[in-house]
Amino acid sequence: MRSRKLSTSVWVISIVSLLAFVGVTLYSRQLSTPLKENTFIPNAEVITPEIELLQAYIRIDTSNPPGKELAGARFLIDELARRGVKAELIESAPGRANVYARIEGRADGDGLMLLNHIDVYPAAAGGWSEPPFAANTKMNMLYGRGALDMKSVGICQLLAFAEFAVSGKVPERDIVFLATADEETGGDLGIAWLLEHRPDIFEGVGYALNEGGISESLKEVPTYFGIEVGSRQFVSLELRSKERRSLERARSAMLPLTNPRDPARVLPEMPGLLRDASRFRKDNRELLANVEQTIADGDFFRLAAPYRALFQSSAIPGGIRPDDGGGFVLDVLLSNLPDEEPQAAIAGIRRITAPFDVEIDVIKTQGPAPITRFDTPMFETIRSVLIEQYGGGIFVGPLVLPYSANDSRYLRVRGIRAYGVCPFPLSIYQTWGIHGGDERVRLDWFVDGVDVMRRI
């Protein structure tokens, strides 16, 4: 039992490391040259009620692990109540809490869910110039764990939901507000628990807005908003053997899967998605404009790593550690394409490691989770609101996350069209704070994000 808990912890740490890597790798590849020319001159700070609300929320430590969302959930319920909205507190386990509220519409089906998570990734002791739960401001930035992932977006959703709820208007379809527990460690006590024990919450929901969107800015001007329509799916394995040498040989056999040179396959959505995005890329522009030709020409290896990851599944072996039973254990994380069947990926590892006398325990699986269609009225609504807010010079398009996953995977397999939306611009420096130190959001941009969510 102890080793299984440890392996789950390793799986979680691996995923969060991948999540933190998304912004760093993707942005730095595209903006490396312009970054050298940038100097940040902060605007004067203006502390609005929206910012004060976010500060109060960040000051509630909801780190997971250990997972203690109850105080954060009560805060959200109180803030909704202050605005005239009644919400339900749902505990999935002692101290693990979710918040649910609904505005009923005129017609059934195709309702909209505003989905966010209450828990935050633990804040390491180092790397912070401001205390992670103080929510201090300086140089027009609000610092704190959850400033980006994802208490800021949660507040944007809460304010939009509450404003509509008391407006006296009746929406055409239902609007649901759902703040969940346990996203940072896989969602078992959050959205997965709710889907099993409270399916009524999801009845009539056709769309969901969640985290996962990416935004870019250059010289303090927004340039790009990626609306997340799909993500990686992960499988956590433990390989066991009495002999350490057997696991070393198995790990060596898996090395070609850690960074495959050739694409596994081209998902149908990828060529058009990358062709549109190429117009706003400085690196790899010609390669992305016709990715099928790039592959046919043998130039796939020239794509930056985040783009190659959109065509590959991979295996990431960890370190070998002693097993309580007297042998040894090798932790392996499989990072699969969105539509890949986990059992097929596991079978591939079994074939590779068969000669080495190892046993494979499956600890956790994800997927398959289909990519959400982006030819929908909701996607067009998001796109048009962002362009209207930030100007016609920005590009808004669909995005598949190359390294990370989120709770939207639970909804997509149930036919709910989930979109990851970051409603405010970010700079590359801010993205480094996601699961890292000095996580921060720019004050005026956050207020813009509140307005974007209201308009959507």
Side-chain angles (χ1 to χ4, degrees):
M1 179 64 72
R2 214 167 90 197
S3 66
R4 190 169 290 271
K5 287 183 178 177
L6 180 59
S7 68
T8 301
S9 175
V10 170
W11 176 80
V12 169
I13 291 169
S14 299
I15 285 189
V16 253
S17 298
L18 290 169
L19 283 164
F21 189 65
V22 173
V24 177
T25 305
L26 185 57
Y27 294 163
S28 62
R29 290 278 187 174
Q30 310 313 320
L31 302 177
S32 55
T33 302
L35 277 176
K36 298 174 184 177
E37 305 167 0
N38 268 332
T39 301
F40 174 62
I41 303 175
N43 294 343
E45 291 185 4
V46 178
I47 306 300
T48 66
E50 297 94 336
I51 291 169
E52 291 176 334
L53 186 62
L54 178 57
Q55 286 179 301
Y57 193 18
I58 287 174
R59 287 169 183 152
I60 303 169
D61 183 353
T62 55
S63 299
N64 182 25
K68 44 182 180 179
E69 299 92 353
L70 185 57
R74 286 174 173 159
F75 170 83
L76 296 178
I77 285 179
D78 289 345
E79 290 301 325
L80 286 167
R82 282 201 317 116
R83 291 164 175 79
V85 180
K86 184 178 180 180
E88 181 181 358
L89 177 70
I90 305 170
E91 286 192 76
S92 52
R96 312 305 302 273
N98 307 271
V99 175
Y100 164 59
R102 181 182 290 256
I103 306 168
E104 292 189 358
R106 293 187 181 91
D108 295 332
D110 266 357
L112 172 64
M113 173 174 284
L114 304 179
L115 175 64
N116 60 90
H117 62 85
I118 303 169
D119 60 324
V120 297
Y121 186 69
W128 291 87
S129 62
E130 299 291 330
F133 297 102
N136 292 337
T137 64
K138 68 177 182 182
M139 297 181 68
N140 197 34
M141 294 280 185
L142 169 56
Y143 286 72
R145 178 58 86 223
L148 295 178
D149 182 19
M150 68 170 298
K151 289 185 174 180
S152 54
V153 179
I155 292 299
C156 291
Q157 293 182 352
L158 181 147
L159 291 171
F161 180 88
E163 182 177 294
F164 195 97
V166 300
S167 68
K169 302 174 183 176
V170 179
E172 190 64 28
R173 311 283 177 169
D174 289 5
I175 306 174
V176 174
F177 177 86
L178 183 63
T180 64
D182 201 35
E183 190 276 342
E184 295 292 356
T185 57
D188 289 345
L189 291 174
I191 193 165
W193 188 95
L194 292 168
L195 282 162
E196 180 179 356
H197 295 90
R198 290 294 306 272
D200 58 295
I201 291 173
F202 305 91
E203 289 179 3
V205 173
Y207 293 101
L209 304 187
N210 189 20
E211 66 180 347
I214 288 177
S215 65
E216 297 176 3
S217 62
L218 183 61
K219 298 182 180 180
E220 301 186 54
V221 177
T223 57
Y224 170 77
F225 282 84
I227 309 304
E228 185 257 333
V229 296
S231 66
R232 305 296 282 186
Q233 305 298 309
F234 297 98
V235 175
S236 177
L237 305 176
E238 288 180 350
L239 277 59
R240 299 177 180 276
S241 178
K242 293 293 184 183
E243 302 294 331
R244 183 184 184 94
R245 176 63 177 161
S246 296
L247 293 177
E248 290 174 345
R249 295 174 67 194
R251 183 168 59 186
S252 295
M254 285 186 285
L255 285 179
L257 297 181
T258 60
N259 185 23
R261 180 179 176 86
D262 298 317
R265 65 185 185 282
V266 178
L267 298 178
E269 298 86 355
M270 284 300 118
L273 186 153
L274 293 177
R275 181 176 58 252
D276 289 344
S278 70
R279 295 182 290 129
F280 288 81
R281 296 278 71 100
K282 293 185 176 295
D283 299 331
N284 293 165
R285 179 177 294 172
E286 293 182 1
L287 299 174
L288 294 171
N290 189 342
V291 73
E292 291 174 306
Q293 189 63 48
T294 296
I295 294 171
D297 291 342
D299 289 330
F300 178 75
F301 73 96
R302 294 175 55 200
L303 290 170
Y307 297 121
R308 293 200 306 273
L310 297 173
F311 302 89
Q312 302 164 325
S313 295
S314 60
I316 308 166
I320 298 172
R321 53 184 171 82
D323 185 11
D324 291 345
F328 297 90
V329 179
L330 170 64
D331 297 292
V332 177
L333 183 71
L334 306 184
S335 176
N336 296 330
L337 292 174
D339 64 346
E340 186 162 359
E341 290 285 349
Q343 295 306 320
I346 295 168
I349 297 299
R350 291 191 189 279
R351 287 192 297 272
I352 291 172
T353 60
F356 308 118
D357 191 28
V358 299
E359 296 180 359
I360 298 179
D361 288 343
V362 179
I363 306 304
K364 196 175 181 96
T365 64
Q366 295 178 358
I371 292 175
T372 298
R373 294 184 58 161
F374 39 92
D375 57 346
T376 66
M378 178 57 66
F379 189 93
E380 180 55 30
T381 294
I382 298 166
R383 192 188 72 83
S384 61
V385 168
L386 287 169
I387 290 174
E388 188 175 343
Q389 179 79 21
Y390 297 112
I394 69 168
F395 172 69
V396 181
L399 166 81
V400 174
L401 295 178
Y403 296 116
S404 61
N406 55 50
D407 280 348
S408 291
R409 67 184 185 275
Y410 290 102
L411 303 180
R412 290 180 175 128
V413 297
R414 289 165 173 82
I416 296 175
R417 292 153 288 185
Y419 297 113
V421 181
C422 181
F424 43 77
L426 297 173
S427 71
I428 181 176
Y429 304 106
Q430 291 170 266
T431 65
W432 290 343
I434 298 174
H435 289 193
D438 273 352
E439 184 177 354
R440 61 199 183 274
V441 64
R442 182 168 147 173
L443 301 180
D444 52 338
W445 283 355
F446 166 69
V447 175
D448 286 342
V450 173
D451 189 44
V452 164
M453 195 61 68
R454 283 174 174 147
R455 292 164 64 185
I456 291 175

